[in-house]
Amino acid sequence: MSNAMIINGKEIGQEIRQSVAEQVSKLKNQGVTPGLAVILVGDNPASQTYVRNKQKSCEAIGIYSELIKLPKEVSEDELLAQIRFLNNSESIHGILVQLPLPEHINEDKVIATISPEKDVDGFSPVSVGKMMLGQETYLPCTPFGVMKLLEYAKVDIAGKHAVIVGRSHIVGKPMGQLLLQKDATVTYTHSKTPDLPSITKQADIIVAAVGRPNFITKEHVKPGAVVIDVGINRDENNKLIGDVDFAEVEQVASHITPVPGGVGPMTITMLLYNTVQSARKTLLQDK
Ligand code: NDP
C-alpha cells in the first residue's frame, strides 16, 4: 500500500522550464540570447552523457549552448585560459566545467577561475560564500532544485528538523544551508556518524545524498516524514535507483521523491534557470 505523496520532479521541472523558456523568448525580443558554455575535458562516458543532456535541454528552450571539448592531456594553464576567454565573452552568460577533471588539473583552481557572474553551477568560493551569507548569488543546482520541489509540494520548512545524509560540497553542505535559511533546524550526518537511524528517525525532512543504493530504509524514517532522494545509483540490471528504499519508505513517509523522476530533472532545470537569470542581469547592466 502506498501512503506517501510522490513529488514528481519531472512535472515540476517541466513547469519551471516552461517559465524559463518564456523568459528566454522575452530576452531574445530584447536582443539577448542566453548562452551557456560547457567545458568537457577528456572522454569520460558518464560526463559525455551529462553534457549531452545539458545541451539538449538548453536547445529545447532556446538557450545557445557551446560545447568546448578539450583532450584529457590539456594543461591546466590552457584550461584556465579557456575559462578566462569565456569570462569575457559577451555571448556566454553561464560557464560550467564538467567534473571530474583529470588528476593533473587542480579542480579548485579551475572553479575559482570562473567569473562569479557566470558561475551558474554555484560552485566557486565566491558563490558558496555569498550563499552562506544569504546574499544574492547562483545557488548550486541540485540543492536549489530540492528547495523548488519542497516549495511546489507545499512542504513547510520553518521550524522543522531537517537531517541531511551526506556532506559533499555539491549536495549535502549547501542543502543544509538552504534549509537553514528557510528556518529549518538542520543536522548534518556523514560516514562517521554513529547510529544513523537514531538521528534520521528524528527528522521531519530527510535529504539522502550518499551514493549508496537503497541505503535509507523504513528503519531510518519517522512516520510522516518528507523524504528527498538525491542519490543516483545503478543496480545489477543497470537500472537507476536512489539512496532510498522507495518501496519500503513510501509506506511510512508523507512525501517522497522517486528515482528517476524526482531530484534528477531538477538539477538541469535550475542550471537553465540560473543561466537565464545571468543573461537578464546583462540587460539590466546595459541600462
Ligand atoms: P559524495 O560521494 O561526494 O558524498 C557522499 C556523502 O555520503 C559523503 O559526505 C559521505 O560521508 C556520506 N556517506 C557515505 N557513507 C555514509 C554512511 N554510511 N552514512 C552516512 N553518510 C555516508 O556524493 P555526492 O554528494 O556528490 O552525491 C551523492 C549522491 O547523489 C550520488 O548518488 C550522486 O550520484 C547523486 N547526485 C545526484 C544529483 C542529481 O542531479 N540528482 C547531483 C549530484 C549528485 P563522508 O563525507 O564522511 O565521506
Side-chain angles (χ1 to χ4, degrees):
M1 193 187 75
S2 150
N3 289 326
M5 181 198 144
I6 293 170
I7 303 179
N8 188 332
K10 214 172 157 190
E11 262 174 39
I12 297 169
Q14 268 311 327
E15 207 175 314
I16 297 174
R17 285 183 203 210
Q18 192 133 18
S19 86
V20 175
E22 282 160 22
Q23 289 181 22
V24 172
S25 41
K26 275 191 201 145
L27 281 168
K28 283 187 172 170
N29 288 337
Q30 293 170 281
V32 177
T33 300
L36 174 71
V38 180
I39 302 180
L40 175 62
V41 181
D43 44 21
N44 177 324
S47 294
Q48 285 177 334
T49 308
Y50 293 142
V51 165
R52 208 175 307 123
N53 288 341
K54 286 169 189 172
Q55 283 201 293
K56 269 201 224 149
S57 306
C58 280
E59 282 151 21
I61 64 163
I63 295 178
Y64 165 67
S65 85
E66 190 168 313
L67 174 62
I68 294 121
K69 271 180 141 176
L70 300 172
K72 62 176 184 302
E73 307 78 29
V74 72
S75 72
E76 188 177 284
D77 281 348
E78 281 172 82
L79 175 56
L80 296 180
Q82 181 67 61
I83 294 172
R84 290 194 193 101
F85 174 79
L86 294 168
N87 282 344
N88 294 317
S89 159
E90 281 194 9
S91 57
I92 295 301
H93 305 95
I95 302 169
L96 183 154
V97 178
Q98 186 65 45
L99 302 177
L101 292 170
E103 272 183 17
H104 67 278
I105 296 176
N106 180 336
E107 229 165 72
D108 291 344
K109 204 164 159 190
V110 167
I111 290 170
T113 303
I114 299 172
S115 158
E117 281 75 43
K118 299 189 179 184
D119 177 30
V120 288
D121 248 346
F123 290 168
S124 84
V126 172
S127 307
V128 175
K130 285 187 167 182
M131 179 197 64
M132 288 280 294
L133 296 168
Q135 295 174 7
E136 199 193 315
T137 185
Y138 298 111
L139 300 176
C141 300
T142 302
F144 190 14
V146 171
M147 296 307 286
K148 286 283 173 197
L149 288 180
L150 294 172
E151 184 188 317
Y152 274 71
K154 298 191 168 51
V155 170
D156 286 333
I157 298 172
K160 303 292 184 206
H161 183 193
V163 174
I164 318 297
V165 192
R167 56 171 164 179
S168 71
H169 294 332
I170 62 166
V171 191
K173 273 187 196 161
M175 188 72 251
Q177 277 303 316
L178 297 181
L179 287 163
L180 180 66
Q181 275 163 22
K182 293 286 178 200
D183 297 325
T185 302
V186 176
T187 302
Y188 284 100
T189 62
H190 46 78
S191 68
K192 308 289 186 298
T193 303
D195 194 7
L196 185 68
S198 72
I199 299 171
T200 53
K201 266 251 158 158
Q202 297 173 40
D204 303 304
I205 301 170
I206 299 177
V207 181
V210 189
R212 287 173 148 219
N214 293 338
F215 179 73
I216 299 291
T217 63
K218 208 160 65 182
E219 274 60 55
H220 292 82
V221 181
K222 175 173 82 175
V226 175
V227 181
I228 305 291
D229 190 353
V230 180
I232 299 178
N233 312 289
R234 298 252 169 206
D235 72 4
E236 57 280 5
N237 303 317
N238 209 29
K239 196 174 143 238
L240 277 187
I241 53 167
D243 287 348
V244 176
D245 186 331
F246 185 89
E248 243 187 70
V249 173
E250 74 159 342
Q251 291 169 33
V252 283
S254 67
H255 299 69
I256 189 167
T257 60
V259 176
V263 177
M266 297 303 288
T267 299
I268 295 185
T269 301
M270 301 328 290
L271 175 70
L272 304 174
Y273 178 94
N274 281 348
T275 304
V276 171
Q277 300 323 305
S278 175
R280 286 176 72 182
K281 279 189 195 146
T282 59
L283 212 55
L284 297 174
Q285 280 160 9
D286 289 345
K287 281 189 179 157

